Amino acid sequence: MLLEVQGINVHYGKIAALKGVSLEVDEGEIVTLIGANGAGKTTTLKTISGLRPLTSGAIRFKGQDISKVPGHKRVILGIGQSPEGRGIFPGMTVLENLMMGAYARKDDVSKQLEEVFELFPRLAERKSQFGGTMSGGEQQMLTIGRALMTNPSVLLLDEPSMGLAPLLIQQIFEIIQTINARGTTVLLVEQNAQQALSIAHRAYVLETGMVVKSAPAQELLHDPAVRAAYLGGDLGLH
């Protein structure tokens, strides 16, 4: 198993944000976490990438317990993250933003850069443009591109479709499938449950910091209870 999250508990002060969350991501999969706002999806990703400390439980990556490994070392081990809200460097060019993703690497990154530009031709066209002057969709491409520059074994994607127009959302999801087809495992947090379940292999449903259901994504896509809770309103096709 590539990534194992084993009964993790995480607190913000005295508030329990995650209560015994367990999940697994196997090599080559796209696994998605769905749930309402505040369910603990982003906290789960931040804990896996080392940005939030565990209260208890364990995280194993490639068989190694990384529960106490600092975040920057997890990047070197092969965990890349594209954070919620993008978090690009607005005063840096596209190329400089991408190179920040590769800051910890000691090897030649030119092949990775070529692959990112192939996935996102818009970034290649605008490599000397400042990140802060780009559209929301372009910034999202830049964020994913920067995470890919770490050469991750698993890519953590947090709300990649947030704030994007429907046409761009479709494009981003197609790119996620291409990234996966090229050999990168993906753990996806996504408010747009319909889209996420459509491309994922498996899914976990989070409610108030707990996993309440896990199943093949297609099964959850057609589950009446999941459809009623997550595939209508804001979480569906809008």
Side-chain angles (χ1 to χ4, degrees):
M1 193 58 62
L2 183 64
L3 175 66
E4 297 168 272
V5 174
Q6 300 168 321
I8 63 172
N9 292 285
V10 173
H11 287 76
Y12 288 93
K14 289 183 178 168
I15 297 161
L18 298 181
K19 307 162 196 166
V21 167
S22 293
L23 58 91
E24 293 183 340
V25 184
D26 212 349
E27 206 161 335
E29 285 190 305
I30 298 177
V31 173
T32 187
L33 307 181
I34 63 170
N37 279 335
K41 305 184 302 294
T42 292
T43 301
T44 301
L45 289 197
K46 284 185 170 176
T47 308
I48 292 168
S49 63
L51 297 175
R52 293 290 325 163
L54 288 172
T55 309
S56 60
I59 297 167
R60 301 183 71 78
F61 184 61
K62 298 179 181 175
Q64 177 188 348
D65 188 334
I66 60 163
S67 309
K68 292 188 165 60
V69 172
H72 66 282
K73 290 194 174 161
R74 295 188 198 190
V75 174
I76 296 165
L77 289 174
I79 297 175
Q81 181 164 12
S82 168
E84 181 185 21
R86 302 178 191 132
I88 62 153
F89 301 103
M92 287 184 171
T93 65
V94 166
L95 185 58
E96 287 166 341
N97 266 278
L98 291 173
M99 293 314 288
M100 284 302 286
Y103 81 96
R105 292 178 59 181
K106 304 283 187 276
D107 56 334
D108 179 19
V109 300
S110 54
K111 183 172 175 284
Q112 209 82 40
L113 190 61
E114 205 175 294
E115 283 178 10
V116 168
F117 284 151
E118 192 188 320
L119 275 172
F120 302 107
R122 186 78 57 88
L123 298 184
E125 290 162 18
R126 312 216 161 171
K127 59 184 174 195
S128 51
Q129 186 173 328
F130 288 115
T133 64
M134 300 176 85
S135 70
E138 289 164 345
Q139 289 188 11
Q140 187 58 65
M141 293 173 187
L142 183 54
T143 308
I144 296 172
R146 183 180 63 192
L148 288 172
M149 288 300 293
T150 67
N151 195 22
S153 301
V154 63
L155 177 62
L156 311 180
L157 292 174
D158 197 354
E159 303 286 8
S161 79
M162 187 188 277
L164 301 184
L167 204 63
L168 268 174
I169 291 174
Q170 191 57 46
Q171 195 183 342
I172 290 288
F173 276 94
E174 283 168 8
I175 287 165
I176 293 168
Q177 286 179 288
T178 303
I179 290 166
N180 179 245
R182 289 181 175 190
T184 304
T185 303
V186 176
L187 179 57
L188 169 68
V189 158
E190 180 51 61
Q191 197 75 348
N192 190 325
Q194 181 91 25
Q195 288 273 21
L197 291 172
S198 297
I199 68 162
H201 299 99
R202 292 187 305 106
Y204 292 85
V205 180
L206 267 73
E207 279 178 18
T208 59
M210 294 184 282
V211 173
V212 294
K213 193 169 264 200
S214 68
Q218 284 301 310
E219 200 177 294
L220 289 181
L221 194 55
H222 300 105
D223 181 316
V226 171
R227 290 194 72 82
Y230 304 110
L231 304 184
D234 310 354
L235 294 182
L237 299 164
H238 301 289

